[in-house]
Amino acid sequence: MRLAAERRQPAGGSSYAPNAAFTRRLGVIAAAATFLMLLAMTIGTALGAKAVLNSQSEQRFADVVSGVSNSVRADLDRSFTEIAALEAFIRTESELTNDRFQLFASSISQRTTGSEALGFAPRVSSEDLAEFTERMKIQGVDIGTFSVTSPFADRFPVAYMFPPVEGLIEPGGNVVSDPRFGTVVQDSLRNRSPVASGPITIRTNPSGQSWFFVFQAVFGDPEPGKHPSEGPLMGYAFSIYRAADFLAASLDRNGLSGVPLRVFDEAPGRTATLIFPDLEPDANDSLASGWVQTSVEFAGRGWNLQFETPDQFGLSALERNVWIIILSAGLGLTVFASISMFSLLKARIAAHSDLDLITSQIRVIVGSAIEGIVVLDADNRLLIANSSFAEAFGMPDPDLLTHKDWSAVRESAAVAITDRDRFFETLGRLSNSPEAVIASADIRITAPTARTLSMSSSPVSDAAGEYLGRLFVFRDVTVERSVEEAKTDFVSMVSHELRTPLTSIVGYVDVLLEGAGGELSAESQKLLQVVRRNGNRLARLVADILDLSRIDNARFDLEPSLIDIPPLISELADAISADYKSKGQIVKLEIADDMPPAYVDRIRIGQVFTNLLSNAHRYTPAGGTITVEASSDGSNLNVSVRDTGVGISAEEQQKVFERFARINRKGARPTGSTGLGLAITKALVELHGGTISVTSSPGTGSEFAVAIPHSTQVKNAA
Ligand code: ADP
């Protein structure tokens, strides 16, 4: 991989820094937009609330006004009871006296507020007039001259009233001859029911207000055998009212006093007359805009009441001011929200530019790295790739790879890779397993330039442990690997070169010891045995080193076949039984009957068991027992070698599988000890896809347990 010196400026500035001026102004624009939007909403809501309340107020007023007509009507009805009382009085009093009437009238007027005065008019025939006049005089009423001009000329209705209303009717006057009463009297006679008059003027009326009266013809009982409607006329009862008084009480009760009001008197076939506030015969009765009207009908007449709708009628202080409250609260909120929006965006923009800065710094650092670096996000899209990576895999500008899918990126590698498919499969597997860590895996690139990369990969997680993505680092180890290879080649060459002469040395010593060179003295024999022992030890060491160097170089090819394990174990145990016997050790084989064959390299698995058996023999004192157990759990072949030997401390157990493991024990190392046996054993077991473990307690013994899959996928060198 090339050095970072000529690396160009990491790109990405354009994609991480949008139009800066716009970004800066964004806070102001957003705040202004928020302000205008909320302001419009506030004003809209306030005006809306005002409109709703106004229409509610109008509705309430209309309801009250329609209630007023009922109220006025009820007052009128109540007042008509005075007429009924007067009627009863006329019918029951056989002889009318002034005192009796005054007493009666004052008692009635105390009970009601409606009428200003009650009157009666007994019918007096023209012949009786002199006598009636005399009687009235005695009662203190001067009826004066009585002119007979009415259609009822032979019987006069002569008025009397209490309390007197000046200017309305003269006591003793002929009510029928008064043009203001004539029609009413006739209607009442015809209908035999109370009849109301239209507005009437009173000479002394101080305020120009209108008056009206209700008139009732009173009939006595009919002669026996005649229809009730044929009872004789006994007189008239009448009650006089001031229109304004009626209205005042009702308006007061309904909370409308002070509200502008016009009342028109209407009767069929007559033009309406304004009776309130002033008597203006020509007043226009059409309804002005903003006014509401209601009608009251009574005793053959109708009143049209017109009210001007007051502003905010019937609204509480809170309701009247609710739009101001909404407006002020809304304005406050608008200002607050706009300021908050502004500062929030300002903070975000500042954070964003900080992030831009950090991001570009990271890009500079990653871009300068000699190692090829790739960072993926949690969705396996490429976040960052540097040019060392792009160059190593023959890819274009690393910035063009950003945001692309990792599978597409790796497929675009334009270099020849040994075992390309397997390599890509590994990369894919890593992306799908967030936990996976690869400390080091070599990738060989063969063209255009041969080089070896060491790949490491680990997940990237945040402080809370959430998976954010994956980091890949590709380091160029071409030089390191070729040095290692040269070293291994050297070791293997040296070991090879040592093995040949050693074999011949040991062989010739054997031959000499067998006496092929003549009789040997006891001393010579002793010396030659030392030579043979050390020669054997050296041969074993050389064999172990050769094995290890092959394992390291992945040049160790297994030749697996289906092997029956029980006979193999017996055979191996037999092979070293002489050694056991020489130390008086007992060997027990506990081998299950139904063990299926295993797919293993016979020689290498034999080497594994031989190592374990020989260690057990060497590290178990004379007379000890060595037990070999073999069984199958269906998927694994389980073999354990247990001894009653010196044992291994817990601390040392960690180290026994390391190369040149030396365990400090009193006394010399046993013959044949190289410290490589268990390291090779472990490597061989793992090449078969299996595991090895140790359990031991010092002074009691050790147990080495091997588990190898029956259908092992043997890991042969590439
Ligand atoms: P060596 O050639 O020295 O035996 P190994 O790799 O086979 O080397 O074993 C490493 C060390 O583990 C030995 O030196 C020995 O101290 C210890 N060891 C191995 N097997 C046993 C055992 N069965 N009992 C006690 N110690 C053992």
Side-chain angles (χ1 to χ4, degrees), residues 705-716:
V706 173
I708 293 172
H710 282 289
S711 53
T712 176
Q713 281 280 321
V714 172
K715 292 181 189 167
N716 270 340

Side-chain angles (χ1 to χ4, degrees), residues 254-275:
N254 289 282
L256 292 178
S257 44
V259 174
L261 164 71
R262 284 153 39 111
V263 183
F264 290 89
D265 176 84
E266 298 169 333
R270 304 239 330 243
T271 50
T273 317
L274 183 77
I275 58 171

Side-chain angles (χ1 to χ4, degrees), residues 540 544 611-620 626 641-649 652-653 655-665 669-681 694 696 701-704:
R540 204 178 142 205
D544 283 354
N611 265 344
L612 296 179
L613 287 168
S614 127
N615 278 353
H617 158 68
R618 282 187 288 146
Y619 299 107
T620 302
I626 289 102
V641 179
R642 195 167 63 240
D643 60 48
T644 54
V646 292
I648 309 164
S649 70
E652 304 289 0
Q653 283 171 32
K655 298 189 199 154
V656 289
F657 296 107
E658 290 171 12
R659 291 173 191 191
F660 303 108
R662 281 171 195 279
I663 293 183
N664 274 334
R665 285 206 187 93
R669 289 178 74 170
T671 321
S673 169
T674 60
L676 291 176
L678 284 178
I680 295 169
T681 301
V694 61
S696 175
S702 314
E703 176 172 359
F704 285 83

Side-chain angles (χ1 to χ4, degrees), residues 96-97 120-144 146 156-160 171-173:
L96 293 169
T97 68
F120 75 99
R123 297 275 296 179
V124 182
S125 83
S126 48
E127 296 99 64
D128 299 338
L129 187 61
E131 187 195 335
F132 176 74
T133 311
E134 192 55 34
R135 204 167 69 207
M136 292 299 275
K137 259 190 191 144
I138 293 166
Q139 288 174 14
V141 180
D142 183 3
I143 58 172
F146 203 78
F156 310 116
V158 183
Y160 180 76

